[in-house]
Amino acid sequence: MSVPRKVLLAISSYNEVFYEDGKRTGLFYTEALHPYQAFVQAGFEVDVASETGTYGLDEHSTTKDFLTDEDERTYNDPNHPFNVLLNKHLYKASNLDPKQYGLFFASAGHATLYDYPHARGLQSIAEDIYERGGVVSAVCHGPAILPGVKDKKTGKSIIDGKTVTGFTSLGEEQMNLMQKIKGDKVLTIEEGAADAGATYVSPPTPFADFHKIDGRVVTGANPASAHSTADAAIKVFDGK
């Protein structure tokens, strides 16, 4: 494949109060960290961008529930290369040259339900990568971006007619978040996929490590799937 061995790691710029306890949603930390680690290990360059060039963290994503000891050490190290990228070199999508990238990976957090469907800067980078034969990938709530990523040949979403996964509606129910999502009139991942003509498949349980490959589109279901989804995207990129 002649596309550059360089990843655009997309993150949400939405950072508003979302949870019943008054905490904010935003970037789900490990859903960007773990893919970053996989890509670097596989010899990719990585840039990080959001739609606006700003971001905030999902406040639940940095609790003990979701961080291993190693993740926590990384999170608390401001000089870790990932944190340096995130906090000192975060790009605004519209300022980037899409031709520099061969792989697009949309990280997540519930925040993405709010900004990814309208994030034309990020979507257009993914469109350009896809058109040139690159890979488009997303995990958990990251697939919220995919209905808006159009195949320039057909004018339809790149997931039209494809099989995808992402965070389940059952998972939203279990987390008592469905009422908030419905009240805010944003689409669940399952609804967005259906609207775009994709077939959605669930993981065996909402938090089981699970991903789907369909052509050059690779999707993962939840935080536990972030690393394996990136690994799968790398394999597709490398033609394995």
Side-chain angles (χ1 to χ4, degrees), residues 31-53:
E31 289 178 346
L33 172 65
H34 292 169
Y36 167 82
Q37 290 168 327
F39 291 130
V40 169
Q41 193 174 358
F44 284 80
E45 275 186 79
V46 182
D47 281 345
V48 185
S50 73
E51 189 67 10
T52 61

Side-chain angles (χ1 to χ4, degrees), residues 61-133:
S61 78
T62 54
T63 62
K64 279 283 196 195
D65 292 346
F66 292 108
L67 297 180
T68 64
D69 289 348
E70 189 190 346
D71 292 336
E72 194 172 23
R73 278 194 296 275
T74 301
Y75 173 62
N76 288 319
D77 176 6
N79 297 317
H80 188 281
F82 174 70
N83 294 330
V84 171
L85 269 187
L86 200 54
N87 296 313
K88 297 194 175 152
H89 300 290
L90 178 65
Y91 289 101
K92 181 178 178 180
S94 59
N95 291 340
L96 293 173
D97 171 14
K99 303 279 183 285
Q100 285 192 24
Y101 306 99
L103 197 155
F104 181 93
F105 191 97
S107 71
H110 280 87
T112 60
L113 298 178
Y114 294 83
D115 71 328
Y116 275 5
H118 320 288
R120 277 309 295 155
L122 290 170
Q123 288 170 3
S124 62
I125 295 172
E127 286 170 357
D128 194 280
I129 290 169
Y130 194 75
E131 188 184 27
R132 287 181 288 111

Side-chain angles (χ1 to χ4, degrees), residues 2 5 22 27 45 76 83 96 98 108 182 185 206 210 240:
S2 59
R5 197 175 186 82
L27 166 64
E45 275 186 79
N76 288 319
N83 294 330
L96 293 173
K182 293 285 179 213
K185 295 184 168 56
F210 182 77
K240 289 175 181 158

